[in-house]
Amino acid sequence: MFPRTPGSVIKKKSGSRYSSVLSIVPGSVRWNGPKEGRHVTRTAVIAIGGNSLITDKQHQGVPDQYHACAETCRHLAPLLQDPELRLVITHGNGPQVGFILRRSELASGELHTVPLDSCVADTQGAIGFHIQLALLNEFRRLGIRKSAATVVTQCLVDRSDPAFATPNKPIGTFLSKEQAEHHRAVDGWNVVEDAGRGWRRVVASPAPTAIVELGAVKSLLDAGFVVVAAGGGGIAVVENAVGEITGAAAVIDKDHASSLLARQLGAELFVVSTAVEKVCLGFGTPQQKDIDRMTVAEARRYMDEGHFKPGSMLPKIQAVIAFLDGGGHEAIITDPAHVGLALAGKAGTHVVP
């Protein structure tokens, strides 16, 4: 455990490749690293999508997930060569939560099952570890004196959110009708038939209202860390009538939670990493057209015209609009390989107020 005496210091070991030195004082962490690059002027939140963690159905194992993550981090790490950039990384977790739920179901004859909020927490730790490890190796390769830290992040939602009355987000594996009815009766699950393929559990997807660990994220940024936070949209929690916080059987859209985190941090830049380099109008049609730049007003018009599909590009556009309406300076949508060029204004779709 870290010493708690005022002014005590964790010394760098002789010959160690770790160059960070922290002074620990009561209630705070102060960065005592090199003074160059100390004039921080920009905070960016980058939300990486599922394609950055699982490339295809043939490569879903843990080593495959790490390799996919490492490839994404290979594009992100060079951004930290800019000493004026503070970076927060968020990520999706849909398939990983599904894997944990399936393991839990298969083992239910011998072991306890895992509730949804704990599944999300588990994935935050595991995926955060992959991002930390991949970034550490890239930082060493590039000679960047940085470290990453993951915050297991709770995201507050309103217990009266209408989404709880109409759960519609499928999670877990397909069930027989008998299994579905059993879970409905015994576990209180909401279950629906899915296009004749079987039955699935559905949960609410409420809107995020606050990032519980916002102060921890800010402190780590101030201490010089790259921060991994709000994984999978954050662990959904609600406040009861007496002010206690409890986990909720719900999932939060990763892009909306990332947008909220960016706003609450006062970030200047919000980047949504996805599977395509640019947002398109008429996607998948002969009239498909890339968008290099658009205003919030134009984005709203394109939404009204039906250019962005729910569950795909639509929540990303909505998250970007919320960020810019909340005071953000610029948002970018692009794929991991073009993030560096996008920040230089040479790739991606740029959205401005």
Side-chain angles (χ1 to χ4, degrees), residues 12 21-22 38 58 122 255 309:
K12 183 180 76 170
V21 181
L22 300 178
R38 194 67 188 97
Q58 287 70 46
D122 286 351
D255 296 314
K309 294 181 180 179

Side-chain angles (χ1 to χ4, degrees), residues 60-338:
Q60 294 185 337
V62 173
D64 296 319
Q65 292 183 45
Y66 174 73
H67 290 313
C69 176
E71 177 63 20
T72 295
C73 289
R74 186 173 66 83
H75 300 297
L76 299 183
L79 304 178
L80 276 303
Q81 291 173 322
D82 178 357
E84 297 187 344
L85 181 67
R86 307 199 315 172
L87 181 61
V88 177
I89 299 172
T90 68
H91 60 80
N93 70 345
Q96 290 82 359
V97 166
F99 297 155
I100 294 174
L101 288 170
R102 180 57 177 159
R103 290 191 196 101
S104 180
E105 291 167 5
L106 292 172
S108 61
E110 296 186 24
L111 296 170
H112 60 276
T113 57
V114 183
L116 182 56
D117 52 357
S118 292
C119 290
V120 176
D122 286 351
T123 63
Q124 287 188 357
I127 296 171
F129 160 62
H130 281 178
I131 295 172
Q132 287 179 214
L133 182 59
L135 284 177
L136 177 61
N137 286 324
E138 284 301 311
F139 290 156
R140 286 183 163 193
R141 185 179 66 84
L142 296 170
I144 297 173
R145 302 176 75 177
K146 280 281 187 182
S147 293
T150 298
V151 177
V152 175
T153 312
Q154 302 169 90
C155 192
L156 190 67
V157 299
D158 189 339
R159 60 192 176 121
S160 62
D161 190 301
F164 284 109
T166 56
N168 59 7
K169 183 75 172 178
I171 63 168
T173 56
F174 286 98
L175 307 167
S176 68
K177 184 176 181 179
E178 292 74 20
Q179 289 172 319
E181 292 298 339
H182 172 80
H183 284 299
R184 191 203 306 269
V186 175
D187 301 315
W189 287 8
N190 292 288
V191 292
V192 298
E193 190 173 12
D194 189 341
R197 295 182 295 172
W199 292 71
R200 294 188 77 185
R201 180 186 180 187
V202 289
V203 297
S205 185
T209 61
I211 305 296
V212 176
E213 285 75 22
L214 181 66
V217 175
K218 287 181 176 179
S219 293
L220 287 166
L221 283 173
D222 290 343
F225 289 90
V226 175
V227 184
V228 183
I235 306 160
V237 296
V238 294
E239 184 176 6
N240 66 21
V242 296
E244 295 174 333
I245 302 295
T246 58
V251 293
I252 301 170
D253 182 88
K254 173 261 301 178
D255 296 314
H256 287 302
S258 301
S259 173
L260 175 64
L261 176 59
R263 299 195 306 273
Q264 292 192 333
L265 286 172
E268 290 81 10
L269 178 65
F270 177 39
V271 180
V272 180
S273 169
T274 185
V276 294
E277 181 199 345
K278 295 181 180 181
V279 178
C280 298
L281 300 180
F283 183 75
T285 71
Q287 292 75 39
Q288 179 173 313
K289 178 184 176 183
D290 291 344
I291 304 175
D292 296 323
R293 182 181 176 89
M294 61 180 166
T295 64
V296 166
E298 289 170 330
R300 285 197 170 96
R301 175 161 58 85
Y302 297 147
M303 279 199 309
D304 292 341
E305 292 172 356
H307 285 285
F308 310 127
K309 294 181 180 179
S312 180
M313 189 58 71
L314 180 60
K316 303 181 191 308
I317 298 295
Q318 291 171 330
V320 160
I321 289 174
F323 169 70
L324 295 170
D325 282 347
H329 296 180
E330 182 182 19
I332 300 171
I333 300 176
T334 192
D335 59 359
H338 290 89

